[in-house]
Amino acid sequence: MTPNPFTDHTPDSAPDGSRRLMEATERHLGRLPAAVARLAESPQLLEGFQRLSGLFEASTLDPLAREVVILTVATRNACHVCVAMHTARLDAMGAGPDLVAALREGRVLDDARLEAVRAFALHVLATAGETDPEELRAFLAHGHTVRNALEVVLGIGAYTLSTLANRMTRAPLDEELAPYAWDGAAA
């Protein structure tokens, strides 16, 4: 196997632009995730992801709908770190095990409103954003807005960036996330 060329940076070894971002992450989470340590190789990528994900968190989509977007992207792109991390987040939010299992397995969700988010995100990904008017109407019919439709695109962008970068760097699963490990059985 070819050795991994990506460094597990610390704030001391990281490029200058990544140090403050790593320190802020460590203060916020109480630890430095291994994925952040590897993404720190590119201060621009790390800052870009943190800004985009922060903007997505501030969107008008509710927290559960945002997690549906994230896990839809993470399973589609087979990012084991992202699936585990956001499974843990759903668990902390009190999401039911059926919802979590369906998202991890790429199955239709029982909750029609959340399924509309999942289906719309998959449609946007499959069409590179050229959504069918019927698909948009179906999304809107579940109480979502056109603003929410664009926020789904924001979430897709933010988490496509992180899932691809985490896969490229072969970011390892942090020990804290071991109970949420995912075997990659994506939809």
Side-chain angles (χ1 to χ4, degrees):
M1 178 182 234
T2 305
N4 190 340
F6 293 96
T7 301
D8 290 319
H9 282 291
T10 66
D12 293 330
S13 70
D16 288 338
S18 291
R19 289 181 183 148
R20 68 177 171 75
L21 301 168
M22 295 174 78
E23 290 165 352
T25 299
E26 197 164 24
R27 278 192 305 275
H28 177 70
L29 298 177
R31 62 185 179 82
L32 184 66
V36 171
R38 292 201 179 167
L39 298 184
E41 185 66 36
S42 171
Q44 293 78 11
L45 183 132
L46 182 57
E47 183 172 4
F49 172 66
Q50 288 184 349
R51 284 187 184 200
L52 283 173
S53 62
L55 290 169
F56 185 54
E57 289 296 313
S59 73
T60 61
L61 281 169
D62 67 82
L64 204 48
R66 289 193 304 265
E67 290 302 316
V68 168
V69 172
I70 295 166
L71 266 177
T72 299
V73 173
T75 56
R76 179 186 180 272
N77 292 344
C79 179
H80 75 284
V81 170
C82 297
V83 172
M85 185 178 303
H86 290 279
T87 298
R89 182 176 275 178
L90 281 166
D91 188 44
M93 292 170 65
D98 292 341
L99 172 65
V100 174
L103 283 167
R104 287 170 59 108
E105 295 165 14
R107 291 187 283 114
V108 172
L109 307 180
D110 291 336
D111 182 310
R113 184 184 66 82
L114 293 176
E115 175 55 25
V117 172
R118 188 188 78 84
F120 186 69
L122 287 171
H123 179 71
V124 169
L125 284 161
T127 64
E130 191 167 336
T131 57
D132 179 285
E134 285 303 313
E135 293 289 336
L136 181 57
R137 275 193 282 282
F139 178 72
L140 298 175
H142 287 87
H144 304 294
T145 65
V146 292
R147 179 176 177 170
N148 293 151
L150 291 171
E151 292 168 343
V152 167
V153 173
L154 175 61
I156 289 169
Y159 287 90
T160 295
L161 182 135
S162 71
T163 58
L164 299 183
N166 285 331
R167 290 194 63 189
M168 178 185 288
T169 65
R170 291 184 259 166
L173 191 64
D174 292 319
E175 190 176 307
E176 300 86 5
L177 297 175
Y180 305 102
W182 181 69
D183 67 5

